[in-house]
Amino acid sequence: MKNQEIAKIFNEIADILEIKGDNPFRIRAYRKAAQNIDSFTMDVSEASEEELMGIPGIGHDLAGKVIEYVKTGHIKTYEELSKEVSPGFIELLSVPGLGPKTARLLHDKLKIKNLDELERLAKAGKLKGLPGIQAKTEQNILKGIDMRKRYSERQPIARVLPLAEEIIKRLREKTPLKKLSLAGSLRRWKETIKDIDILATSTDPAKGMSGFIHLPEVRDILSHGPTKSSIVTHEGIQVDLRVVDDSSFGSALAYFTGSKEHNIRLREMAVKKGLKINEYGIFKAATGEKIGGEDEADVYKALGIPFIPPEMREDNGEIDLAITGKLPSLIELRDIRGDLHVHSRWSDGSHDFSELINEAKKRGYEYIAVTDHSKGLGIARGMSVERILEQVKEIRAINKKLTGFKLLAGTEVDIRSNGALDYPDEILRELDIVLASIHSGFRQSSEQLTGRLISAMKNPYVSVIAHPTGRLIGERDAYEVDMDEFLRAANETETAIEINAYPLRLDLNDVSARKAMEMGISLVISTDAHILPQFDYMAFGIGIARRGWLKKSDVLNTYGAEALLKRLKRKQAKA
Ligand code: DGT
Ligand code: CA
Ligand code: ZN
């Protein structure tokens, strides 16, 4: 897919325009287009001009640039603009939290050309004293560099999975490879991925491998052999393909799915049972006789335990659960009956209600909640009290005409820096669902941040806390919320907690989601969609939920509309 490449170029164009002090609307147009192309599920290189212009934020001009790139591999505007700034400068901009103004200052005054130089000077305290740069700015720059280093080797799963699926699809169509399956962290739905592991069988492995290394996605070939080959894609992501015998496919799949820690535990169990398990099969230790390995289930059967889903294979207690017969039946995507966090054109979303409803119906949903931003969030076109009342009225009118589907009136109300909500209770009372979330003051102390969340939860109308920790994977660490105290308060106030499925958020994460579930707190899984293809993000939320051992009954948007509304209002009934 060329989508990510083009999104990256559009973002860099925006960066350069920002440095040049260009028109803010033009800058925003590029950024928005980048974001929307990135989450567009169709490959833009296969889209017609008309289809491209159907992507929100893409008009005639930007569609032309996409086509230009697909045809020539270049965008002239970008080439010309990049001549105006040095490459080192663009590298500085890649540090999370380092904006164009500061980058320009550092570049011009200190002649900093790359990240190593920036890090050295920041550590030596040589940045402060420049206009607008204090000791704290210096610390934040160091944090940003650290974050970039931590994440440069791992990619968010949403960037990797579509690529992996595309590669598997091509291999299926174009090569004699069979039984193609993902393995590794991708199959376990980890939130970030180092490399793609693919497993296959074949009657003609040499031909299969040759097909693999010649895929159009390949930029470099790292190794090429009859059973294992590794390539790097144009996006810089490594893909390992292994071809194994049919009779070993299952044990190889278990082995290469990992995690390593989970596998070590399985092998220890095997030894105690007089067995030997490796990627080639399951063997009797005494005689070496092979007793299984074709199916992955053989591995667990041989150990006398039920099949453990890949998402649980982290050696976090899942094996004991399996031994005692208490493995949960994990939630699945098809259990989801609606999306409870969707933005419309009324704030910073791109669609009107009818488009959102159609998309939701296509997915078999029975309801969605429109949760636009509240007035304090000017940057996201937050709505005044008058406007949200008008919106509620319109939603009520639409529902009168709908059958078998409900549009829920909601809000994503901002929790202000002092903990107060951005709308008065008289407004919140009118809504079916109230998400409350933090969008500012991330650098407050843990007490302050946790206190803000708790005071929001004490409001009887707040039904859900959305993206509770505010993290953006690779861009911003979670703010310092005291998770235990937060969950205790959620439990006491019967407030539900969101797993925000937006790929850079995945917030709550798997570990906290499991903690919440174990305390009996209700969760919701929502996409925070701003454009239609982002409804697809639900799958990533399900991945997190399954990694957190959640069952269908732990998640409120698996309920029917009536039961859901009743549950969301339970707080109010008690208050
Ligand atoms: P990643 O790539 O860092 O996102 O995470 P994984 O889990 O995909 O790790 P990766 O790609 O290094 O290896 C894939 C699987 O292969 C891993 O989950 C378990 C298995 N594996 C790899 N190396 C070893 C090893 O040295 N010992 C054992 N037991 N298993 C290994
Ligand atoms: Ca891997
Ligand atoms: Zn939102």
Side-chain angles (χ1 to χ4, degrees):
M1 300 247 288
K2 296 250 191 281
N3 299 27
Q4 287 180 23
E5 293 167 39
I6 294 173
K8 190 161 170 257
I9 292 175
F10 278 10
N11 265 323
E12 284 187 8
I13 291 178
D15 286 341
I16 299 171
L17 292 175
E18 204 163 342
I19 295 158
K20 293 180 45 168
D22 205 278
N23 176 350
F25 289 100
R26 187 164 171 227
I27 297 168
R28 210 176 136 72
Y30 272 106
R31 291 216 193 281
K32 199 141 190 204
Q35 207 183 4
N36 291 349
I37 288 175
D38 202 14
S39 49
F40 192 54
T41 29
M42 181 177 178
D43 187 348
V44 289
S45 50
E46 283 161 23
S48 66
E49 181 172 10
E50 203 183 2
E51 283 168 326
L52 289 172
M53 284 169 64
I55 305 176
I58 307 277
H60 189 70
D61 176 49
L62 292 182
K65 293 203 165 59
V66 172
I67 291 167
E68 181 187 353
Y69 185 78
V70 171
K71 279 203 184 130
T72 67
H74 306 276
I75 295 176
K76 218 163 131 209
T77 310
Y78 172 65
E79 314 251 292
E80 279 164 7
L81 278 171
S82 25
K83 280 189 211 130
E84 298 181 29
V85 290
S86 76
F89 189 40
I90 300 210
E91 192 175 329
L92 295 193
L93 278 177
S94 72
V95 176
L98 185 60
K101 262 205 207 117
T102 315
R104 152 129 283 172
L105 188 78
L106 296 171
H107 184 261
D108 291 356
K109 293 261 184 245
L110 298 176
K111 310 278 172 238
I112 295 176
K113 281 183 210 63
N114 56 46
L115 290 189
D116 287 343
E117 264 180 60
L118 179 66
E119 185 173 19
R120 197 161 41 77
L121 291 174
K123 278 194 176 144
K126 296 274 165 62
L127 307 184
K128 53 176 183 286
L130 288 174
I133 298 194
Q134 287 131 15
K136 205 165 164 194
T137 325
E138 220 165 49
Q139 287 314 308
N140 287 334
I141 288 175
L142 282 172
K143 266 195 205 159
I145 295 174
D146 177 57
M147 173 139 29
R148 214 190 93 123
K149 281 189 184 159
R150 254 186 296 145
Y151 281 105
S152 57
E153 293 191 344
R154 305 193 68 83
Q155 295 278 342
I157 184 168
R159 289 193 170 281
V160 183
L161 188 63
L163 178 66
E165 283 172 345
E166 177 185 85
I167 289 174
I168 286 189
K169 182 166 165 261
R170 272 197 216 274
L171 291 174
R172 197 165 277 140
E173 286 166 359
K174 302 244 155 70
T175 72
L177 297 172
K178 294 275 175 306
K179 286 198 187 176
L180 283 149
S181 172
L182 285 176
S185 51
L186 255 185
R187 187 162 177 247
R188 305 198 312 280
W189 287 84
K190 269 192 79 154
E191 62 189 37
T192 62
I193 306 293
K194 187 193 71 200
D195 55 27
I196 299 174
D197 301 284
I198 300 175
L199 202 65
T201 63
S202 182
T203 46
D204 189 349
K207 195 165 167 211
M209 281 302 185
S210 145
F212 173 60
I213 62 163
H214 288 108
L215 288 177
E217 283 79 8
V218 175
R219 186 184 71 196
D220 297 311
I221 301 166
L222 300 179
S223 67
H224 176 197
T227 58
K228 186 188 167 196
S229 299
S230 297
I231 61 98
V232 177
T233 69
H234 298 291
E235 293 85 354
I237 295 171
Q238 183 175 333
V239 187
D240 296 345
L241 170 67
R242 292 179 179 83
V243 180
V244 299
D245 279 344
D246 261 312
S247 64
S248 302
F249 182 77
S251 42
L253 185 57
Y255 183 90
F256 291 111
T257 295
S259 68
K260 195 170 155 185
E261 293 72 20
H262 175 87
N263 290 347
I264 290 172
R265 288 289 310 277
L266 294 187
R267 285 203 299 272
E268 286 168 2
M269 282 177 77
V271 170
K272 286 191 190 136
K273 288 190 179 298
L275 298 172
K276 191 177 150 198
I277 292 179
N278 57 29
E279 62 265 53
Y280 303 106
I282 306 155
F283 306 88
K284 284 192 177 159
T287 60
E289 182 197 347
K290 185 165 176 177
I291 58 166
E294 190 170 348
D295 293 317
E296 193 180 35
D298 295 348
V299 174
Y300 295 93
K301 220 181 277 165
L303 298 174
I305 55 175
F307 183 85
I308 300 178
E311 296 91 333
M312 292 183 79
R313 299 181 194 170
E314 298 291 348
D315 190 23
N316 284 330
E318 73 280 6
I319 292 176
D320 291 334
L321 225 53
I323 290 171
T324 53
K326 290 191 185 134
L327 272 184
S329 161
L330 299 182
I331 184 171
E332 294 179 39
L333 186 56
R334 61 160 186 255
D335 295 329
I336 295 294
R337 293 166 80 170
D339 197 330
L340 299 178
H341 188 160
V342 175
H343 293 276
S344 79
R345 196 171 272 162
W346 287 67
S347 70
D348 62 347
S350 297
H351 303 279
D352 58 30
F353 297 151
S354 64
E355 291 169 307
L356 293 173
I357 293 168
N358 281 340
E359 189 69 18
K361 281 184 170 171
K362 261 201 251 166
R363 282 149 209 273
Y365 288 167
E366 294 160 36
Y367 49 82
I368 52 167
V370 175
T371 55
D372 281 314
H373 291 288
S374 62
K375 60 182 180 193
L377 228 56
I379 186 162
R381 311 213 313 127
M383 300 191 311
S384 67
V385 163
E386 292 74 29
R387 259 176 75 74
I388 188 166
L389 288 176
E390 195 186 323
Q391 190 188 44
V392 173
K393 226 164 111 189
E394 196 168 317
I395 290 175
R396 301 288 178 231
I398 287 177
N399 275 312
K400 289 214 174 94
K401 290 183 238 151
L402 291 173
T403 47
F405 190 90
K406 237 180 144 58
L407 192 60
L408 305 180
T411 180
E412 178 176 10
V413 65
D414 186 44
I415 304 172
R416 294 182 192 156
S417 56
N418 62 2
L421 296 175
D422 204 22
Y423 286 134
D425 284 1
E426 298 83 79
I427 300 295
L428 302 180
R429 197 166 49 204
E430 298 300 316
L431 304 169
D432 301 316
I433 179 169
V434 174
L435 316 182
S437 56
I438 288 181
H439 297 97
S440 61
F442 301 116
R443 297 209 174 115
Q444 288 179 347
S445 69
S446 175
E447 290 75 29
Q448 279 174 303
L449 281 157
T450 313
R452 281 164 79 186
L453 291 170
I454 292 177
S455 62
M457 289 191 283
K458 283 187 177 153
N459 183 304
Y461 302 108
V462 169
S463 26
V464 181
I465 296 291
H467 50 72
T469 79
R471 71 147 171 192
L472 295 175
I473 295 173
E475 285 175 21
R476 184 170 78 206
D477 281 329
Y479 46 69
E480 293 177 14
V481 51
D482 181 331
M483 190 48 70
D484 289 330
E485 207 178 314
F486 166 67
L487 293 179
R488 238 186 336 265
N491 203 15
E492 266 163 33
T493 58
E494 296 204 64
T495 311
I497 296 179
E498 178 183 84
I499 294 176
N500 188 298
Y502 205 85
L504 289 188
R505 291 194 181 272
L506 300 179
D507 178 13
L508 292 183
N509 67 12
D510 48 4
V511 173
S512 299
R514 180 170 154 197
K515 251 191 208 168
M517 175 274 291
E518 284 171 347
M519 290 171 70
I521 295 167
S522 296
L523 292 111
V524 302
I525 308 174
S526 310
T527 64
D528 209 344
H530 289 69
I531 64 170
L532 302 180
Q534 292 174 344
F535 274 83
D536 283 343
Y537 291 162
M538 188 59 80
F540 300 107
I542 293 288
I544 293 294
R546 289 172 63 88
R547 289 180 60 81
W549 299 10
L550 266 56
K551 306 175 294 300
K552 181 178 170 182
S553 57
D554 298 315
V555 177
L556 297 182
N557 49 325
T558 65
Y559 293 16
E562 211 169 308
L564 169 75
L565 285 174
K566 206 168 144 209
R567 171 61 186 83
L568 292 174
K569 301 272 173 187
R570 199 157 82 191
K571 275 178 83 172
Q572 286 175 42
K574 275 177 45 175

